[in-house]
Amino acid sequence: MNSGTYIGGILNLTGAMPGDGFQYDGPAMPSYPVYMVMFRSTHDAIERFILQPPLKADRSEEPIVKMWYFVNPQNRAIDGQVTPYHAVQFAAPCIHNGRKGQSGWEYVDGLRGDKTSMDIMGPWSVYFGMAKKMGDISFIPVAPDEFEITVDRRGTRLVTMGIRIGAELTGEQLDAVRAQAVWPEQMTVRAIPSPDYSHFTQYAVCATSTEEGNSIDRAWLADKASVVFGHLDMDPLDELPVLEITGAYAVMNTTHKIVFTEMRVIDDLLQSADIPVPTPVAVD
Protein backbone atom coordinates (compact mmCIF):
# COMPACT_ATOMS: atom_id res chain seq x y z
CA MET A 1 0.00 0.00 0.00
CA ASN A 2 1.17 3.52 -0.76
CA SER A 3 0.96 4.73 2.82
CA GLY A 4 2.64 1.68 4.28
CA THR A 5 -0.19 1.35 6.82
CA TYR A 6 -3.00 -1.13 7.19
CA ILE A 7 -6.37 0.51 6.57
CA GLY A 8 -8.55 -2.54 7.14
CA GLY A 9 -11.84 -3.69 5.69
CA ILE A 10 -12.41 -3.29 1.98
CA LEU A 11 -10.22 -0.18 2.02
CA ASN A 12 -7.24 -2.48 2.55
CA LEU A 13 -7.71 -3.59 -1.07
CA THR A 14 -8.06 -0.06 -2.46
CA GLY A 15 -4.72 1.16 -1.11
CA ALA A 16 -6.15 4.64 -0.54
CA MET A 17 -8.37 6.38 1.95
CA PRO A 18 -11.34 8.44 0.70
CA GLY A 19 -10.02 11.74 -0.58
CA ASP A 20 -6.69 10.20 -1.57
CA GLY A 21 -7.83 8.11 -4.53
CA PHE A 22 -7.04 8.61 -8.22
CA GLN A 23 -4.14 10.95 -7.43
CA TYR A 24 -2.09 9.87 -10.43
CA ASP A 25 -1.55 11.28 -13.92
CA GLY A 26 -3.07 9.78 -17.03
CA PRO A 27 -6.07 7.53 -17.64
CA ALA A 28 -7.42 4.94 -15.23
CA MET A 29 -7.61 2.38 -18.03
CA PRO A 30 -5.06 3.03 -20.78
CA SER A 31 -5.76 1.82 -24.30
CA TYR A 32 -7.34 -1.64 -24.18
CA PRO A 33 -9.16 -3.91 -26.69
CA VAL A 34 -12.93 -4.41 -26.58
CA TYR A 35 -14.90 -7.02 -28.54
CA MET A 36 -18.56 -5.97 -28.71
CA VAL A 37 -21.67 -7.94 -29.70
CA MET A 38 -25.14 -6.37 -29.57
CA PHE A 39 -28.37 -8.34 -29.60
CA ARG A 40 -32.08 -7.69 -29.46
CA SER A 41 -33.81 -9.05 -26.37
CA THR A 42 -36.94 -7.82 -24.52
CA HIS A 43 -37.52 -4.95 -22.11
CA ASP A 44 -38.82 -7.35 -19.45
CA ALA A 45 -35.69 -9.51 -19.74
CA ILE A 46 -33.44 -6.44 -19.55
CA GLU A 47 -35.09 -5.43 -16.28
CA ARG A 48 -34.71 -8.95 -14.91
CA PHE A 49 -31.19 -9.82 -16.02
CA ILE A 50 -29.28 -6.62 -16.85
CA LEU A 51 -30.49 -3.80 -14.57
CA GLN A 52 -30.33 -3.47 -10.81
CA PRO A 53 -33.56 -2.33 -9.09
CA PRO A 54 -34.95 0.29 -9.01
CA LEU A 55 -33.60 1.03 -12.52
CA LYS A 56 -36.09 0.28 -15.28
CA ALA A 57 -35.64 -0.54 -18.94
CA ASP A 58 -36.03 2.50 -21.15
CA ARG A 59 -39.01 1.36 -23.22
CA SER A 60 -38.64 4.33 -25.56
CA GLU A 61 -35.44 2.66 -26.80
CA GLU A 62 -35.09 -0.66 -28.61
CA PRO A 63 -34.36 -3.55 -26.21
CA ILE A 64 -30.75 -3.92 -27.34
CA VAL A 65 -28.25 -5.53 -24.97
CA LYS A 66 -24.60 -4.64 -25.40
CA MET A 67 -22.28 -7.46 -24.40
CA TRP A 68 -18.55 -7.13 -24.65
CA TYR A 69 -15.29 -8.80 -23.69
CA PHE A 70 -12.31 -6.64 -22.81
CA VAL A 71 -8.85 -7.20 -21.42
CA ASN A 72 -7.44 -4.44 -19.23
CA PRO A 73 -3.76 -5.23 -18.59
CA GLN A 74 -2.76 -1.70 -17.53
CA ASN A 75 -5.82 -0.91 -15.38
CA ARG A 76 -4.89 1.33 -12.49
CA ALA A 77 -6.80 1.00 -9.26
CA ILE A 78 -7.85 3.73 -6.86
CA ASP A 79 -4.31 4.06 -5.47
CA GLY A 80 -2.69 4.02 -8.93
CA GLN A 81 -1.34 0.47 -8.67
CA VAL A 82 -1.62 -1.66 -11.82
CA THR A 83 -4.32 -4.32 -11.29
CA PRO A 84 -4.80 -6.30 -14.53
CA TYR A 85 -8.01 -8.14 -15.28
CA HIS A 86 -10.39 -9.09 -18.06
CA ALA A 87 -14.17 -9.11 -18.10
CA VAL A 88 -17.41 -9.82 -19.92
CA GLN A 89 -19.85 -6.97 -19.39
CA PHE A 90 -23.54 -6.46 -20.11
CA ALA A 91 -25.36 -3.13 -20.48
CA ALA A 92 -28.69 -1.82 -21.75
CA PRO A 93 -30.62 1.47 -21.88
CA CYS A 94 -32.26 2.38 -18.57
CA ILE A 95 -34.35 5.14 -17.07
CA HIS A 96 -34.86 6.43 -13.53
CA ASN A 97 -37.23 9.25 -12.62
CA GLY A 98 -37.25 10.33 -16.25
CA ARG A 99 -33.45 10.42 -16.46
CA LYS A 100 -32.00 8.25 -19.23
CA GLY A 101 -28.76 6.34 -19.17
CA GLN A 102 -27.23 2.92 -19.51
CA SER A 103 -26.48 0.37 -16.84
CA GLY A 104 -25.39 -3.21 -16.35
CA TRP A 105 -22.91 -5.54 -14.66
CA GLU A 106 -19.95 -7.79 -15.48
CA TYR A 107 -18.13 -11.05 -14.92
CA VAL A 108 -14.48 -10.42 -13.95
CA ASP A 109 -11.37 -12.57 -13.85
CA GLY A 110 -7.66 -12.10 -13.27
CA LEU A 111 -5.18 -12.59 -16.09
CA ARG A 112 -3.35 -15.91 -16.44
CA GLY A 113 -5.60 -17.48 -13.80
CA ASP A 114 -4.44 -15.18 -10.98
CA LYS A 115 -7.56 -13.71 -9.38
CA THR A 116 -5.47 -12.11 -6.62
CA SER A 117 -4.20 -9.60 -9.20
CA MET A 118 -7.68 -8.07 -9.42
CA ASP A 119 -9.09 -8.40 -5.89
CA ILE A 120 -9.65 -4.63 -6.06
CA MET A 121 -12.76 -5.52 -8.09
CA GLY A 122 -14.59 -6.34 -4.82
CA PRO A 123 -14.38 -2.90 -3.20
CA TRP A 124 -14.52 -1.26 -6.65
CA SER A 125 -17.91 -2.90 -7.14
CA VAL A 126 -19.14 -1.64 -3.77
CA TYR A 127 -18.06 1.99 -4.17
CA PHE A 128 -18.96 2.32 -7.87
CA GLY A 129 -22.22 0.41 -7.52
CA MET A 130 -21.74 -1.82 -10.60
CA ALA A 131 -22.38 -5.44 -9.70
CA LYS A 132 -19.56 -7.86 -10.47
CA LYS A 133 -19.31 -11.65 -10.32
CA MET A 134 -16.15 -13.73 -10.37
CA GLY A 135 -15.85 -16.02 -13.39
CA ASP A 136 -13.35 -18.15 -15.25
CA ILE A 137 -12.97 -16.25 -18.52
CA SER A 138 -11.18 -17.51 -21.62
CA PHE A 139 -10.32 -15.72 -24.86
CA ILE A 140 -9.50 -18.31 -27.50
CA PRO A 141 -8.32 -17.67 -31.09
CA VAL A 142 -10.06 -20.14 -33.41
CA ALA A 143 -8.65 -18.47 -36.55
CA PRO A 144 -6.30 -15.51 -37.17
CA ASP A 145 -9.29 -13.13 -37.21
CA GLU A 146 -11.87 -15.11 -35.22
CA PHE A 147 -12.21 -15.54 -31.45
CA GLU A 148 -14.32 -17.41 -28.91
CA ILE A 149 -14.91 -15.92 -25.47
CA THR A 150 -16.27 -18.10 -22.67
CA VAL A 151 -17.30 -17.59 -19.04
CA ASP A 152 -17.55 -20.49 -16.59
CA ARG A 153 -18.85 -20.43 -13.03
CA ARG A 154 -18.97 -23.40 -10.66
CA GLY A 155 -18.07 -25.78 -13.46
CA THR A 156 -20.81 -24.55 -15.80
CA ARG A 157 -20.35 -22.79 -19.12
CA LEU A 158 -22.54 -19.67 -18.88
CA VAL A 159 -21.36 -17.60 -21.85
CA THR A 160 -20.06 -18.55 -25.26
CA MET A 161 -19.50 -15.53 -27.48
CA GLY A 162 -18.02 -15.69 -30.96
CA ILE A 163 -16.73 -12.82 -33.08
CA ARG A 164 -14.84 -12.50 -36.37
CA ILE A 165 -12.96 -9.28 -37.04
CA GLY A 166 -12.94 -7.65 -40.47
CA ALA A 167 -11.64 -4.42 -41.94
CA GLU A 168 -10.51 -1.45 -39.87
CA LEU A 169 -12.95 1.47 -39.89
CA THR A 170 -11.99 5.03 -40.69
CA GLY A 171 -13.67 8.39 -41.24
CA GLU A 172 -17.46 8.42 -40.95
CA GLN A 173 -17.59 4.70 -40.14
CA LEU A 174 -15.30 5.23 -37.15
CA ASP A 175 -17.39 8.21 -36.03
CA ALA A 176 -20.54 6.06 -36.23
CA VAL A 177 -18.99 3.43 -33.97
CA ARG A 178 -17.92 6.11 -31.50
CA ALA A 179 -21.48 7.46 -31.39
CA GLN A 180 -22.93 4.00 -30.86
CA ALA A 181 -20.38 2.82 -28.31
CA VAL A 182 -20.44 5.79 -25.94
CA TRP A 183 -23.58 6.79 -24.05
CA PRO A 184 -24.17 10.04 -22.14
CA GLU A 185 -24.51 8.55 -18.64
CA GLN A 186 -23.65 5.39 -16.77
CA MET A 187 -26.05 4.63 -13.90
CA THR A 188 -25.30 2.36 -10.97
CA VAL A 189 -26.93 1.44 -7.67
CA ARG A 190 -24.94 1.62 -4.43
CA ALA A 191 -26.45 -0.62 -1.74
CA ILE A 192 -24.48 -0.86 1.51
CA PRO A 193 -25.94 -2.79 4.48
CA SER A 194 -25.85 -1.89 8.16
CA PRO A 195 -23.42 -3.73 10.47
CA ASP A 196 -26.17 -6.10 11.68
CA TYR A 197 -27.44 -6.54 8.10
CA SER A 198 -30.96 -5.48 9.08
CA HIS A 199 -31.21 -2.43 6.78
CA PHE A 200 -29.29 -0.20 4.39
CA THR A 201 -26.94 2.52 5.56
CA GLN A 202 -26.67 3.73 1.96
CA TYR A 203 -29.01 2.98 -0.92
CA ALA A 204 -28.67 5.34 -3.86
CA VAL A 205 -28.79 5.63 -7.62
CA CYS A 206 -25.59 7.18 -8.97
CA ALA A 207 -24.65 8.51 -12.38
CA THR A 208 -21.50 9.54 -14.18
CA SER A 209 -20.73 10.77 -17.67
CA THR A 210 -19.00 8.25 -19.90
CA GLU A 211 -19.31 10.50 -22.93
CA GLU A 212 -16.35 12.57 -21.73
CA GLY A 213 -14.57 9.74 -19.98
CA ASN A 214 -14.21 7.20 -22.79
CA SER A 215 -12.36 7.60 -26.08
CA ILE A 216 -12.17 5.17 -28.99
CA ASP A 217 -8.88 5.33 -30.84
CA ARG A 218 -9.42 2.63 -33.48
CA ALA A 219 -12.25 0.32 -34.56
CA TRP A 220 -12.79 -2.74 -36.73
CA LEU A 221 -15.94 -4.17 -38.27
CA ALA A 222 -17.01 -7.64 -37.13
CA ASP A 223 -18.68 -9.59 -39.94
CA LYS A 224 -19.69 -12.60 -37.83
CA ALA A 225 -20.92 -12.87 -34.23
CA SER A 226 -22.83 -15.28 -32.00
CA VAL A 227 -23.99 -15.57 -28.39
CA VAL A 228 -25.04 -18.68 -26.46
CA PHE A 229 -25.95 -18.69 -22.77
CA GLY A 230 -25.94 -21.49 -20.19
CA HIS A 231 -27.77 -22.01 -16.91
CA LEU A 232 -27.07 -22.00 -13.20
CA ASP A 233 -29.83 -21.43 -10.66
CA MET A 234 -28.01 -18.27 -9.53
CA ASP A 235 -27.15 -17.32 -13.12
CA PRO A 236 -30.08 -18.34 -15.36
CA LEU A 237 -28.67 -16.54 -18.39
CA ASP A 238 -30.31 -18.97 -20.79
CA GLU A 239 -33.58 -17.22 -19.90
CA LEU A 240 -32.25 -13.97 -21.42
CA PRO A 241 -33.60 -14.05 -25.00
CA VAL A 242 -31.15 -13.50 -27.85
CA LEU A 243 -33.66 -12.71 -30.59
CA GLU A 244 -31.29 -11.22 -33.15
CA ILE A 245 -27.65 -10.15 -33.38
CA THR A 246 -27.87 -6.49 -34.36
CA GLY A 247 -24.21 -5.54 -34.62
CA ALA A 248 -20.63 -6.31 -33.65
CA TYR A 249 -17.25 -4.61 -33.76
CA ALA A 250 -13.89 -4.36 -32.01
CA VAL A 251 -12.27 -1.17 -30.72
CA MET A 252 -9.26 0.12 -28.85
CA ASN A 253 -10.71 2.14 -25.96
CA THR A 254 -9.33 4.38 -23.22
CA THR A 255 -11.21 5.14 -19.98
CA HIS A 256 -10.27 8.29 -18.11
CA LYS A 257 -10.44 8.98 -14.37
CA ILE A 258 -13.37 11.35 -14.78
CA VAL A 259 -15.72 8.37 -15.16
CA PHE A 260 -15.02 7.57 -11.51
CA THR A 261 -14.15 10.93 -9.97
CA GLU A 262 -17.28 12.67 -11.30
CA MET A 263 -19.80 10.06 -10.16
CA ARG A 264 -22.66 11.67 -8.21
CA VAL A 265 -25.73 10.51 -6.27
CA ILE A 266 -28.84 11.41 -8.30
CA ASP A 267 -31.40 9.76 -6.01
CA ASP A 268 -31.01 8.92 -2.33
CA LEU A 269 -33.40 5.98 -2.12
CA LEU A 270 -33.43 6.02 1.68
CA GLN A 271 -35.11 9.43 1.43
CA SER A 272 -37.47 8.49 -1.40
CA ALA A 273 -41.03 7.66 -0.36
CA ASP A 274 -41.62 5.94 -3.72
CA ILE A 275 -38.96 3.28 -3.21
CA PRO A 276 -39.55 0.52 -0.63
CA VAL A 277 -36.51 -0.33 1.46
CA PRO A 278 -36.07 -2.95 4.17
CA THR A 279 -37.40 -1.93 7.58
CA PRO A 280 -34.88 -2.24 10.43
CA VAL A 281 -35.58 -5.29 12.54
CA ALA A 282 -34.48 -6.29 16.02
CA VAL A 283 -31.58 -8.73 16.05
CA ASP A 284 -31.18 -11.02 19.03
Side-chain angles (χ1 to χ4, degrees):
M1 295 177 56
N2 289 346
S3 64
T5 60
Y6 174 76
I7 295 173
I10 65 170
L11 293 182
N12 191 54
L13 298 180
T14 70
M17 291 287 283
D20 295 333
F22 300 104
Q23 301 300 310
Y24 52 83
D25 295 328
M29 301 176 181
S31 188
Y32 59 94
V34 176
Y35 299 83
M36 172 80 71
V37 175
M38 295 168 289
F39 62 88
R40 188 182 311 280
S41 190
T42 69
H43 290 117
D44 288 345
I46 284 172
E47 286 187 2
R48 181 182 174 193
F49 293 104
I50 306 300
L51 304 178
Q52 297 179 74
L55 302 180
K56 298 294 185 182
D58 185 351
R59 294 174 187 264
S60 69
E61 300 283 346
E62 290 189 78
I64 303 298
V65 175
K66 292 180 179 178
M67 173 183 171
W68 64 97
Y69 166 85
F70 64 95
V71 59
N72 207 347
Q74 296 301 315
N75 173 65
R76 287 196 285 180
I78 299 164
D79 64 351
Q81 298 298 309
V82 175
T83 55
Y85 73 104
H86 56 162
V88 170
Q89 188 170 146
F90 302 85
C94 67
I95 191 166
H96 182 72
N97 289 345
R99 188 166 179 160
K100 294 171 173 284
Q102 188 157 308
S103 190
W105 59 278
E106 63 186 0
Y107 289 115
V108 294
D109 192 7
L111 298 185
R112 305 174 188 87
D114 182 7
K115 287 183 170 58
T116 64
S117 68
M118 42 72 73
D119 50 12
I120 181 63
M121 290 295 112
W124 198 303
S125 173
V126 171
Y127 107 81
F128 193 66
M130 177 190 285
K132 302 179 188 295
K133 292 187 176 185
M134 298 290 186
D136 291 328
I137 300 175
S138 294
F139 180 86
I140 304 167
V142 296
D145 57 355
E146 191 169 354
F147 309 95
E148 181 182 85
I149 297 100
T150 62
V151 181
D152 291 3
R153 268 172 60 86
R154 304 195 176 194
T156 297
R157 178 66 43 85
L158 291 176
V159 174
T160 304
M161 171 181 148
I163 189 168
R164 185 171 66 194
I165 305 304
E168 184 169 1
L169 304 179
T170 58
E172 293 182 357
Q173 292 177 315
L174 177 57
D175 291 339
V177 167
R178 285 172 172 154
Q180 186 179 57
V182 178
W183 55 95
E185 271 193 332
Q186 168 83 31
M187 290 190 190
T188 67
V189 180
R190 288 169 58 97
I192 301 175
S194 65
D196 63 5
Y197 223 78
S198 65
H199 59 283
F200 289 118
T201 58
Q202 183 178 40
Y203 188 34
V205 176
C206 301
T208 188
S209 171
T210 55
E211 198 168 34
E212 298 179 20
N214 281 291
S215 58
I216 292 175
D217 307 311
R218 300 173 68 185
W220 293 261
L221 177 69
D223 59 6
K224 178 182 177 182
S226 62
V227 175
V228 176
F229 292 129
H231 181 92
L232 277 177
D233 287 346
M234 63 173 57
D235 292 83
L237 283 183
D238 59 333
E239 297 175 24
L240 174 63
V242 181
L243 303 180
E244 176 192 8
I245 301 294
T246 60
Y249 51 82
V251 304
M252 291 300 295
N253 189 72
T254 296
T255 299
H256 302 277
K257 293 186 297 181
I258 191 174
V259 170
F260 309 106
T261 58
E262 293 303 309
M263 174 165 259
R264 298 291 183 267
V265 171
I266 61 171
D267 188 10
D268 183 348
L269 300 173
L270 293 178
Q271 305 300 321
S272 175
D274 297 329
I275 305 295
V277 297
T279 302
V281 297
V283 177
D284 294 334

